[in-house]
């Protein structure tokens, strides 16, 4: 498992890529080994995931009858949804990149998006905590949520652009393919697995 120092190293590389500085690539292991190793990011995001799951459980129970129970199975289903949201967009992107003839750059996309999940997860976990502690500040939370989402889209677009080159249509498509399926899949799987509030 990569150490905190290594993770900081990778995140520095991503930040440089967001700034469109090619030196950022020197901080990332873009090999196939590095691609597989980047899935350790899942472990690093676990505390943020737990915050999200506890909030989702609370929201779920508020909308359900008083005798509703949520045990280990509830959280296992949330973990399944999380895994699907992590892997399926990458599979879609990989297929599209092969079709576009840029499959050799897929490992770099995997590395970048996996490590980027760490700051993204903790940002949203922070917003959830603020929402739980300040329930009356819903307007502020919505604004911060929008700013966070826009920042993620912009950062991802810039990183993908640095990896694949300045081909706007392709970069925009890959960026949306990494984001939109997650939004759709989440609700579909939540309803299918019975963990959707209401």
């Amino acid at each position: 498992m990569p150490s905190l120092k290594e993770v900081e190293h990778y995140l520095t590389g991503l930040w440089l890529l967001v700034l469109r500085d090619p030196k950022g690539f020197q901080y990332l292991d873009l090999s196939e080994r590095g691609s597989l190793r980047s899935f350790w990011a899942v472990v690093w995001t676990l505390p943020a995931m737990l915050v999200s799951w506890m909030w989702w459980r609370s929201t779920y129970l508020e909308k359900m009858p008083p005798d509703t129970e949520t045990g280990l199975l509830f959280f296992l289903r949330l973990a399944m949804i999380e895994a699907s949201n992590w892997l399926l967009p990458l599979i879609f992107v990989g297929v599209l990149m092969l079709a576009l003839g840029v499959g050799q750059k897929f490992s770099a996309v995997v590395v970048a998006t996996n490590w980027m999940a760490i700051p993204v997860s903790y940002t949203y976990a922070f917003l959830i905590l603020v929402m739980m502690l300040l329930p009356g500040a819903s307007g502020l939370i919505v604004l911060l949520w929008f700013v966070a989402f826009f920042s993620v889209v912009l950062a991802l677009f810039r990183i993908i652009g640095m990896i694949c080159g300045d081909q706007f249509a392709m970069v925009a498509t890959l960026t949306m393919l990494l984001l939109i399926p997650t939004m759709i899949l989440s609700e579909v799987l939540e309803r299918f697995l019975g963990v959707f509030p209401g």
Side-chain angles (χ1 to χ4, degrees), residues 93-149:
V93 164
V95 171
L96 179 60
M97 291 183 75
L98 282 173
L100 294 174
V102 291
Q104 74 278 9
K105 298 181 179 180
F106 178 62
S107 289
V109 172
V110 171
V111 169
T113 53
N114 279 347
W115 292 122
M116 185 177 169
I118 296 177
V120 171
S121 296
Y122 281 95
T123 297
Y124 283 116
F126 171 75
L127 292 177
I128 288 170
L129 287 175
V130 172
M131 185 166 48
M132 293 171 68
L133 295 173
L134 302 171
S138 58
L140 175 62
I141 297 300
V142 170
L143 176 61
L144 292 175
W145 212 280
F146 175 78
V147 170
F149 179 75

Side-chain angles (χ1 to χ4, degrees), residues 52-111:
S52 176
W53 292 354
M54 293 306 296
W55 170 74
W56 192 256
R57 176 182 176 274
S58 174
T59 303
Y60 177 80
L61 290 175
E62 283 178 9
K63 302 290 178 64
M64 301 301 286
D67 59 344
T68 301
E69 295 184 2
T70 54
L72 178 61
L73 183 59
F74 181 85
F75 292 103
L76 286 176
R77 288 173 175 171
L78 291 181
M80 288 172 59
I81 294 169
E82 198 74 44
S84 298
N85 287 338
W86 200 297
L87 294 173
L88 288 178
L90 287 176
I91 293 171
F92 296 153
V93 164
V95 171
L96 179 60
M97 291 183 75
L98 282 173
L100 294 174
V102 291
Q104 74 278 9
K105 298 181 179 180
F106 178 62
S107 289
V109 172
V110 171
V111 169

Side-chain angles (χ1 to χ4, degrees), residues 56 81 185-198:
W56 192 256
I81 294 169
L185 281 169
S186 290
E187 184 169 343
V188 170
L189 291 174
E190 285 159 7
R191 292 182 184 277
F192 178 74
L193 294 174
V195 293
F196 189 82

